[in-house]
């Protein structure tokens, strides 16, 4: 059977360089990557240098005709603009260019709509899209009359509404959208409550929570998959990993324990035995992430607020990686997670010609997750950091305190265990708060 290839929409990219954006060329390249991630084919790029964008058309009036002719020449079906466009700019450009007009926000919304797989992600994307559309309804129905009704001095018609068909239709559309947004927000609140319940259950144990954060396409999902394959409860718990922007949207939580799979007690040093943690993969950040998406995905993004440790994954092969780190830092601050301890992972270091990987310095590690270089070392670094507040203690629990024995077996590193006449003796590496809480059972 012959494979049917999906035809991609041909798009023309347009940007205005006012000189205010230091990395304008990089931003346009990122726009191209976003278009490709939205299953579009970029057939041309137009850049205009101006001191300020045109309020009516974004680009200069003379440039509009040039873009229109170029779009015809390269058979572009859509025109994608570098920055967010105002409703009037979209309307004016659509009329003059006779093409579908999109901006950066539209593009990201399209990508999120394509990638959304779970019910929650789909609800969040729909909410963001409707919130984007709502303020842009006004003026979109210029083909309908905005003036109507009958006049007349003192006539009965003077009491009738003066609203035209266009305005009435706009109000109906607005009410429908607002009603749908309310429905979606209620559904999302219910899902958020369920996540909160699950989060509380996880926090009741002493198992730490580690969140992977960073710019989109830095390799977070790849790192999660390598850790799951080595130390996860099941190797089929991997997530999609693909070399593109926003390959995954859904927040994934996986249980990681270095002795769970493929290792024996002898193969793992006692200091890192039974040091489990929950690993969370979050949606990637990007510069100028649309406000509506941040708002819609806030309950998902806020998972990072409850982490004990953040692992910031950086694409070290990208020459703009420092700018991406700044974007990540700003986003974490906005989410209230700026003060959480971090590990910095410089991923894809092999693509820079760096040899002898992995390399570790303090809480930084250079690695190549796709090649499996540095995964074990990263695991050790994570465990060292999240269990830094742990102490070694020896407890003697009476036989009727089997629940406490089970608790420490699950939530501590058990270095040695003995059954004695008066109870179960445990030599453990546990959180210092547990050591204080159960100090009455400390063995002499």
């Amino acid at each position: 059977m012959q494979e049917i290839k999906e035809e991609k929409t041909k798009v023309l990219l347009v940007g205005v360089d006012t000189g205010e954006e230091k990395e304008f060329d990089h931003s346009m390249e990122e726009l191209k990557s976003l278009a490709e991630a939205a299953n579009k084919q970029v057939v041309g790029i137009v850049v205009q240098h101006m001191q300020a964008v045109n309020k009516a058309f974004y680009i200069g009036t003379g440039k509009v005709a040039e873009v229109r002719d170029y779009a015809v020449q390269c058979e572009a079906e859509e025109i994608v603009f570098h920055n967010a466009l105002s409703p009037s700019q979209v309307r004016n450009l659509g009329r003059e260019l006779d093409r579908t007009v999109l901006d950066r926000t539209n593009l990201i919304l399209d990508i999120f709509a394509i990638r959304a797989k779970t019910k929650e992600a789909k609800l969040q994307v729909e909410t963001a899209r409707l919130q984007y559309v709502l303020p842009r309804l006004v003026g979109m129905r210029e083909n309908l009359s905005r003036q109507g009704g009958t006049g007349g001095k003192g006539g009965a018609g003077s009491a009738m509404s003066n609203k035209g068909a266009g305005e009435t239709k706009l109000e109906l559309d607005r009410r429908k959208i607002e009603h749908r947004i309310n429905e979606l927000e209620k559904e999302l609140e219910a899902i958020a409550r369920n996540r909160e319940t699950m989060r509380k259950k996880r926090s009741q144990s002493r198992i730490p929570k580690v969140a992977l954060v960073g710019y989109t396409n830095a390799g977070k999902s790849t790192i999660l998959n390598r850790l799951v394959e080595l130390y996860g409860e099941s190797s089929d718990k991997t997530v999609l990993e693909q070399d593109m922007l926003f390959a995954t949207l859904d927040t994934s939580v996986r249980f990681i324990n270095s002795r769970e799979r493929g290792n024996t007690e002898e193969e793992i040093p006692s200091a890192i035995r039974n040091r489990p943690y929950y690993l969370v993969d979050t949606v990637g950040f990007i510069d100028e992430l649309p406000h509506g998406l941040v708002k819609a995905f806030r309950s998902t993004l806020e998972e990072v607020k409850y982490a004990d440790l953040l692992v910031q994954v950086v694409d070290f092969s990208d020459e703009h990686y420092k700018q991406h780190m700044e974007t990540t830092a700003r986003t974490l601050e906005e989410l209230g997670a700026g003060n959480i301890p971090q590990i910095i992972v410089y991923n894809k270091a092999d693509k820079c010609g760096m040899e002898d990987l992995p390399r570790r310095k303090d809480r930084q590690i250079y690695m190549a997750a796709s090649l499996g270089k540095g995964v074990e070392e990263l695991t050790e670094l994570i465990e060292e950091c999240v269990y830094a507040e742990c102490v070694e203690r020896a407890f003697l629990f009476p036989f009727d305190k089997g629940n406490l024995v089970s608790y420490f077996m699950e939530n501590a590193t058990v270095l040695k265990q003995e059954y004695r006449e008066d109870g179960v003796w445990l030599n453990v590496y546990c959180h210092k708060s547990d050591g204080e809480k159960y100090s009455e059972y400390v063995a002499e």
Side-chain angles (χ1 to χ4, degrees), residues 44-246:
I45 299 176
V46 176
V47 173
Q48 183 174 22
H49 299 275
M50 301 172 63
Q51 291 185 341
V53 299
N54 185 292
K55 292 183 179 180
F57 293 97
Y58 178 73
I59 53 179
T61 53
K63 202 72 171 180
V64 173
E66 181 183 329
V67 170
R68 181 177 60 244
D69 293 341
Y70 190 23
V72 172
Q73 179 184 340
C74 60
E75 300 180 344
E77 303 163 71
E78 297 177 349
I79 316 293
V80 180
F81 287 80
H82 170 245
N83 289 107
L85 299 175
S86 68
S88 61
Q89 287 173 337
V90 172
R91 184 173 65 253
N92 295 339
L93 287 167
R95 183 179 63 246
E96 294 296 325
L97 298 175
D98 194 27
R99 295 286 189 282
T100 299
V101 173
L102 306 175
D103 59 13
R104 180 187 174 91
T105 301
N106 273 130
L107 210 51
I108 296 177
L109 285 169
D110 284 348
I111 296 170
F112 273 51
I114 294 170
R115 301 282 186 273
K117 302 300 180 185
T118 65
K119 178 182 178 181
E120 181 181 23
K122 290 177 181 178
L123 292 175
Q124 289 170 323
V125 172
E126 185 181 353
T127 301
R129 189 180 290 280
L130 291 177
Q131 289 172 336
Y132 176 79
V133 168
L134 189 59
R136 289 166 170 75
L137 287 175
V138 179
M140 293 176 65
R141 300 183 178 276
E142 57 186 18
N143 59 314
L144 297 177
S145 170
R146 295 185 60 86
Q147 299 297 324
T150 57
K153 295 182 179 179
S158 62
M160 296 178 63
S161 171
N162 195 39
K163 295 179 180 179
E167 191 167 352
T168 302
K169 180 62 175 174
L170 286 171
E171 290 177 353
L172 288 173
D173 287 346
R174 183 182 295 278
R175 281 198 291 269
K176 286 180 181 179
I177 291 175
E178 289 175 342
H179 178 70
R180 179 56 180 160
I181 290 175
N182 288 334
E183 288 181 334
L184 292 168
E185 289 179 341
K186 288 179 181 178
E187 289 189 68
L188 287 170
E189 286 173 6
I191 295 174
R193 286 194 296 269
N194 183 54
R195 186 192 296 108
E196 179 66 21
T197 300
M198 295 175 65
R199 185 188 295 132
K200 287 181 178 179
K201 287 182 179 179
R202 289 195 295 266
S203 64
Q204 286 174 356
S205 70
R206 290 295 182 187
I207 300 177
K209 188 173 180 181
V210 179
L212 296 167
V213 299
Y215 211 76
T216 181
N217 203 32
K220 296 184 298 300
S221 296
T222 301
I223 288 176
L224 178 135
N225 286 343
R226 298 297 86 78
L227 290 173
V228 167
E229 289 165 357
L230 285 174
Y231 310 122
E233 295 177 288
S234 174
S235 58
D236 62 358
K237 294 288 186 179
T238 56
V239 299
L240 173 69
E241 57 177 275
Q242 203 165 343
D243 186 16
M244 65 168 57
L245 303 183
F246 299 115

Side-chain angles (χ1 to χ4, degrees), residues 395-396 399 416 418-426 443-444:
F395 295 101
L396 181 62
F399 288 113
K416 195 172 182 181
E418 294 178 3
Y419 288 91
R420 299 181 177 179
E421 293 182 1
D422 49 353
V424 181
W425 181 86
L426 295 178
E444 296 296 333

Side-chain angles (χ1 to χ4, degrees), residues 26 315-322 324 352:
H26 169 62
D315 181 356
F316 191 56
S317 67
D318 192 313
E319 61 177 327
H320 300 93
Y321 75 90
K322 290 184 178 179
H324 295 172
C352 305

Side-chain angles (χ1 to χ4, degrees), residues 26-41:
H26 169 62
S27 186
M28 288 299 294
E29 279 298 316
E30 189 170 78
L31 185 68
K32 182 175 183 288
S33 297
L34 286 170
E36 292 169 349
N39 293 331
K40 300 179 187 298
Q41 178 187 353

